[in-house]
Amino acid sequence: MKVIRIDKNDWAEGIEKIRKTYSLIGPVKEKFYHIFANLGSGQMPDMEFTNSRISPKYIIYPQSEIILKCSMNAEEEDYKIYREPEDKEYKEKAVLGIRPCDADSLPVVMRNFDTDEYKDPYWLRAFETTTLVGLACDAPCPSCFCTSAGSGPYNHKNLDVMLIDNKDHYLAEIITEKGEKLAEAAGWQDKAEGIADEIAKRKSDAESKIESNVHTDNLAKQPLLDLYEATSIWEKAAFACINCGTCTYVCPTCWCFDIQDEVYGREGFRIRNWDSCMYPLFTLHASAHNPRGTKLARLRQRFMHKLKYYVDKYENGIQCTGCGRCVRLCPVNIDIRRICNMMNSYDPETCTCEATVS
Amino acid sequence: MKSYTDNIKEISKRLLKEDKVDMVIGYRTGSVPLMHQPFFAQNQEEVDEFVWDSNCGLNLANYITDRTERIGILATGCNSRNIAVHIVEGKIKREQLYIIGIPCKGMVDRHKLSAMADGDITSVEDENNGSITITGQNFSKTVDKAEVLQENCSVCVHRNPVIYDELAAEEVTEQKRDDVDPYARVKEIEALSPEEKWAHFDDLLSDCIRCYACRNACPLCYCPLCFVDESNPQWVGKSIDHTDVRTFHFLRAYHCAGRCTDCGACVRSCPVGINVRDFTKKLEKDCLELFDWEAGLNTEQRPPLDTYRPDDPEEFIK
Ligand code: SF4
Ligand code: SF4
Ligand code: SF4
Ligand code: SF4
């Protein structure tokens, strides 16, 4: 793999160059935490950050996205006829500083948005026009558990370029063609030779700093209905849960949405909004019956989906990349690591499990 | 002197042993700093998981709504007032409850502490001498607890529970309204021009992701179907359109008027640290000034917006 050395003195200049072709998105400190935001002209990404408080999934999958528009003026020809908005453009964009766990969430989400049967045009177009310039993690958070969730602090599998901070310069691994194109546009071409060992060492150092992990080896083998009925897992956790949906909104791998029609003046909009399995409304039927009418049922759904249904259906690990956001932000400390370990160790014979967070 | 935690455990064990209650609602230690978990104990071993310190900032009254068991519950000043509101509003019966009163020394502000730390906090030491030490991967900092209290706690004038069956510690000294002005922040906002107010609230809500953690953490928000969730008719849009976000916040605040105890659970649970108390605190001030009313001080009187008396002042309509 090609590795390029980018002197930090030349970093700003390269960024200015790629601005011509790409619109740029990067970490910015807002109020007291980081978010991924559009970088205005001359604005640089703040690369001294741990991770954004809320996952950057909204870059490709916005919280509220207008997908269709129509006229609500009865005089007009396209009265109530929904069409794709003309101003919906998919300009090439580059995300600077995205962390490996968040990039690794994209193939997870893609399993939902890109299937043989259905292709989500909005998500796919946004994804295809995005180049990911990741930043390897040298100081992961204490609540990250990426290495046991199919990701890792130096995982470059789903990045186009991965930057490694090396004091006065970045080492940039050029991973894909998209990455190559971006590096070219930036004028980054100073090849770094003979540093493979150094990178390997940095990688293993970073991995050894991940302090927590989840056990997932047994999840696929667990009988589904036994887990579903494991009240010893669900009852205590559901008690504290306030069904706020924070965990699902901050999560890079949660993909559920709701479609709503709204009218503003003489225009109608069809809007796709994030939704959450934690909300009673998510499953409320028109008949007023709610198949997930209790908070226990909703909490169980979130974990069963991530850690059992997904595991069984896609045979590709868990629907979680270990970013730790839900762990840090759940207001009542419902910890997916704990629940995952409980599900993994659940013994249907004795109805017991081990509740550990390691 | 025994610690709060020890006393809480002792009382809880006794209540369960004597079969006075079916469960005791308290907190257990969280798996991450600053986040203890509301937890119910039904036996002695579970009681051993109980903890009490300045990270118990949610409102336990939220967990008793419409329950049918006999419940032991820990209650600080604000929590006890929300329990009283619940009793008045018919969400629980007084006879079902055994209230373990906790004279409260205030909860620390998790948003403030995270903003102060140089990196991620791995542990928080509540030293009980008025200082808090936060430690992370490459730092350790000791701060005055008074400086990092949640804002609602630093201006609280009801730290001791107003109703209880037994206290878990000696009463604490109450702050007086003359010494700490609970409405200082409200007055600052009131003094702004309409444009400045607009800008203030725009900025306040700019990060809202409409997750509804603030609503769901609030013991007052127990409606089976919140107005924002109604679909027939649909009052509010579901996107993050500014008008809809504001509508949610304004209306929710009004629904809490005269009932809110300023417990701060809403702010504490917000993932992006929005101070939604800027709304509720103003209404609390109005209720005090217009109706001489403070929420949850007894279990008999209904809140002012819920009753009518011919001699109500109603200056604002005249
Ligand atoms: S963030 Fe926590 S309390 Fe909120 S819905 Fe998720 S698990 Fe429940
Ligand atoms: S479930 Fe939690 S830890 Fe896993 S990807 Fe989502 S937010 Fe991150
Ligand atoms: S908790 Fe915060 S982000 Fe969520 S709806 Fe309330 S104010 Fe908005
Ligand atoms: S509105 Fe906020 S401060 Fe008031 S009672 Fe509800 S959670 Fe507590």
Side-chain angles (χ1 to χ4, degrees):
Chain A
M1 184 197 315
K2 186 153 98 187
V3 182
I4 287 175
R5 185 181 193 284
I6 309 169
D7 197 295
K8 284 195 183 163
N9 291 324
D10 303 334
W11 170 242
E13 195 190 321
I15 300 292
E16 280 319 308
K17 283 191 189 149
I18 52 176
R19 239 185 241 285
K20 294 191 187 110
T21 335
Y22 301 83
S23 56
L24 299 184
I25 297 164
V28 173
K29 187 154 187 180
E30 212 202 61
K31 295 181 184 167
F32 58 94
Y33 53 86
H34 283 86
I35 58 166
F36 276 86
N38 290 320
L39 301 174
S41 100
Q43 193 183 5
M44 293 294 288
D46 175 7
M47 304 290 266
E48 301 292 317
F49 79 124
T50 315
N51 204 351
S52 60
R53 185 168 264 222
I54 293 175
S55 92
K57 73 173 167 191
Y58 52 80
I59 296 169
I60 290 172
Y61 174 34
Q63 177 163 8
S64 291
E65 180 176 21
I66 295 172
I67 52 178
L68 298 172
K69 259 190 194 172
C70 72
S71 161
M72 289 304 282
N73 182 352
E75 322 268 278
E76 274 176 30
E77 205 179 301
D78 61 347
Y79 176 55
K80 287 195 179 169
I81 297 178
Y82 274 109
R83 290 182 217 286
E84 226 183 280
E86 278 148 25
D87 50 4
K88 211 166 166 61
E89 58 167 339
Y90 290 93
K91 198 175 172 285
E92 288 285 329
K93 54 182 176 296
V95 186
L96 307 171
I98 189 170
R99 293 295 186 178
C101 57
D102 291 333
D104 288 338
S105 73
L106 293 167
V108 174
V109 176
M110 199 185 225
R111 289 190 185 104
N112 180 53
F113 287 131
D114 182 12
T115 68
D116 290 340
E117 236 178 317
Y118 301 106
K119 308 234 173 274
D120 185 296
Y122 312 102
W123 194 92
L124 282 170
R125 269 182 284 174
F127 175 72
E128 279 152 16
T129 46
T130 304
T131 302
L132 301 173
V133 182
L135 180 62
C137 300
D138 290 307
C141 301
S143 46
C144 294
F145 52 99
C146 50
T147 40
S148 58
S151 181
Y154 270 62
N155 214 23
H156 54 212
K157 243 185 359 226
N158 296 296
L159 291 166
D160 298 304
V161 175
M162 183 169 80
L163 301 172
I164 299 163
D165 192 324
N166 211 12
K167 299 192 185 96
D168 63 343
H169 64 276
Y170 288 113
L171 293 169
E173 295 184 344
I174 310 297
I175 301 143
T176 62
E177 245 170 68
K178 270 187 187 170
E180 185 82 51
K181 222 181 96 199
L182 180 130
E184 222 166 86
W188 294 329
Q189 42 183 297
D190 182 6
K191 271 204 192 144
E193 309 281 359
I195 32 103
D197 289 350
E198 196 185 325
I199 295 181
K201 174 154 190 318
R202 290 281 298 271
K203 178 170 189 259
S204 67
D205 282 354
E207 283 169 355
S208 69
K209 285 191 199 144
I210 301 284
E211 291 164 11
S212 86
N213 57 56
V214 285
H215 303 291
T216 57
D217 53 310
N218 212 23
L219 290 171
K221 284 173 255 160
Q222 293 284 34
L224 191 147
L225 285 177
D226 287 334
L227 280 186
Y228 188 86
E229 280 159 11
T231 34
S232 54
I233 302 179
W234 308 123
E235 230 169 46
K236 286 275 164 184
F239 174 79
C241 177
I242 58 172
N243 268 189
C244 65
T246 297
C247 49
T248 55
Y249 277 18
V250 300
C251 175
T253 66
C254 277
W255 60 50
C256 290
F257 60 80
D258 178 28
I259 305 242
Q260 291 269 326
D261 283 359
E262 288 188 18
V263 175
Y264 291 74
R266 290 293 188 88
E267 265 190 307
F269 297 88
R270 183 152 292 175
I271 307 174
R272 158 155 81 185
N273 298 303
W274 291 350
D275 204 346
S276 168
C277 57
M278 287 299 190
Y279 300 152
L281 206 62
F282 187 68
T283 44
L284 184 65
H285 292 182
S287 68
H289 171 63
N290 196 338
R292 271 184 232 137
T294 60
K295 77 176 174 179
L296 184 145
R298 296 190 281 276
L299 175 115
R300 173 172 61 196
Q301 166 62 22
R302 167 162 173 257
F303 291 111
M304 285 295 278
H305 184 217
K306 285 190 175 300
L307 305 171
K308 181 60 183 167
Y309 309 144
Y310 180 93
V311 171
D312 290 355
K313 180 167 176 186
Y314 299 105
E315 298 179 347
N316 227 313
I318 55 177
Q319 190 204 2
C320 165
T321 60
C323 74
R325 285 187 181 88
C326 58
V327 174
R328 293 187 288 276
L329 292 173
C330 169
V332 299
N333 188 241
I334 290 170
D335 189 325
I336 190 170
R337 298 170 298 179
R338 195 163 187 271
I339 306 268
C340 182
N341 293 343
M342 285 168 106
M343 287 170 70
N344 196 63
S345 66
Y346 185 69
D347 178 354
E349 297 285 303
T350 57
C351 298
T352 54
C353 57
E354 282 164 41
T356 49
V357 174
S358 52
Chain B
M1 199 181 76
K2 274 208 251 157
S3 73
Y4 274 52
T5 307
D6 290 339
N7 288 340
I8 289 166
K9 286 184 186 168
E10 202 178 291
I11 299 170
S12 307
K13 285 187 179 169
R14 192 186 71 229
L15 292 176
L16 287 166
K17 194 156 146 233
E18 293 173 357
D19 193 27
K20 289 241 174 66
V21 296
D22 304 314
M23 56 157 76
V24 183
I25 300 178
Y27 286 90
R28 69 174 168 191
T29 308
S31 60
V32 292
L34 302 165
M35 292 286 205
H36 288 336
Q37 183 176 61
F39 174 70
F40 68 98
Q42 290 170 303
N43 55 46
Q44 312 284 315
E45 295 86 73
E46 284 174 345
V47 168
D48 279 325
E49 294 188 49
F50 274 166
V51 65
W52 188 268
D53 60 23
S54 41
N55 299 299
C56 301
L58 284 150
N59 192 326
L60 296 180
N62 199 22
Y63 293 96
I64 56 173
T65 313
D66 295 330
R67 288 199 87 105
T68 50
E69 303 94 332
R70 296 170 305 154
I71 300 168
I73 182 170
L74 308 190
T76 58
C78 57
N79 284 209
S80 74
R81 291 169 63 202
N82 278 102
I83 293 172
V85 174
H86 255 33
I87 294 169
V88 172
E89 297 181 359
K91 300 318 286 175
I92 194 90
K93 293 200 187 71
R94 178 68 181 93
E95 312 79 84
Q96 271 173 272
L97 300 176
Y98 189 96
I99 303 170
I100 306 169
I102 314 280
C104 182
K105 296 177 179 166
M107 297 298 151
V108 295
D109 185 329
R110 70 172 175 112
H111 302 295
K112 223 185 258 176
L113 280 174
S114 329
M116 266 181 157
D118 312 309
D120 294 286
I121 300 174
T122 47
S123 77
V124 175
E125 214 59 60
D126 188 347
E127 320 212 321
N128 224 354
N129 58 359
S131 66
I132 301 275
T133 302
I134 50 171
T135 313
Q137 278 152 331
N138 303 309
F139 69 93
S140 177
K141 230 183 214 172
T142 302
V143 288
D144 216 349
K145 181 168 160 184
E147 272 168 42
V148 293
L149 278 185
Q150 292 184 180
E151 199 215 356
N152 64 307
C153 299
S154 64
V155 298
C156 174
V157 292
H158 293 287
R159 295 182 156 179
N160 293 303
V162 297
I163 47 166
Y164 56 83
D165 294 293
E166 179 173 353
L167 286 180
E170 262 175 57
E171 293 207 341
V172 294
T173 327
E174 292 288 8
Q175 308 190 103
K176 295 267 171 313
R177 260 193 212 105
D178 298 334
D179 308 330
V180 288
D181 181 359
Y183 304 115
R185 193 177 156 88
V186 176
K187 287 175 191 160
E188 274 170 36
I189 302 170
E190 282 173 342
L192 299 175
S193 69
E195 294 75 35
E196 288 167 333
K197 269 186 200 150
W198 195 249
H200 171 79
F201 289 116
D202 252 357
D203 179 57
L204 180 73
L205 298 180
S206 62
D207 292 342
C208 177
I209 55 170
R210 271 183 93 182
C211 62
Y212 301 142
C214 50
R215 174 193 73 184
N216 290 18
C218 176
L220 305 171
C221 286
Y222 54 65
C223 290
L225 191 60
C226 178
F227 71 95
V228 291
D229 291 336
E230 282 262 14
S231 58
N232 190 17
Q234 183 161 337
W235 308 107
V236 197
K238 301 226 180 292
S239 71
I240 40 172
D241 178 272
H242 293 312
T243 315
D244 293 324
V245 175
R246 285 180 204 130
T247 308
F248 160 60
H249 283 288
F250 291 163
L251 276 180
R252 190 187 93 81
Y254 270 96
H255 289 180
C256 299
R259 305 163 65 223
C260 169
T261 63
D262 202 26
C263 71
C266 45
V267 177
R268 186 178 183 88
S269 51
C270 174
V272 292
I274 294 176
N275 188 13
V276 293
R277 290 176 48 257
D278 273 1
F279 299 115
T280 49
K281 196 73 182 167
K282 159 72 176 154
L283 296 171
E284 182 197 297
K285 176 168 175 279
D286 287 354
C287 284
L288 186 69
E289 289 170 356
L290 292 169
F291 307 109
D292 193 20
W293 172 260
E294 287 180 273
L297 293 189
N298 65 58
T299 51
E300 289 83 42
Q301 254 175 311
R302 297 198 67 90
L305 298 191
D306 194 21
T307 51
Y308 169 75
R309 279 199 317 245
D311 59 341
D312 280 343
E314 287 173 359
E315 305 290 353
F316 54 98
I317 326 185
K318 280 178 197 157

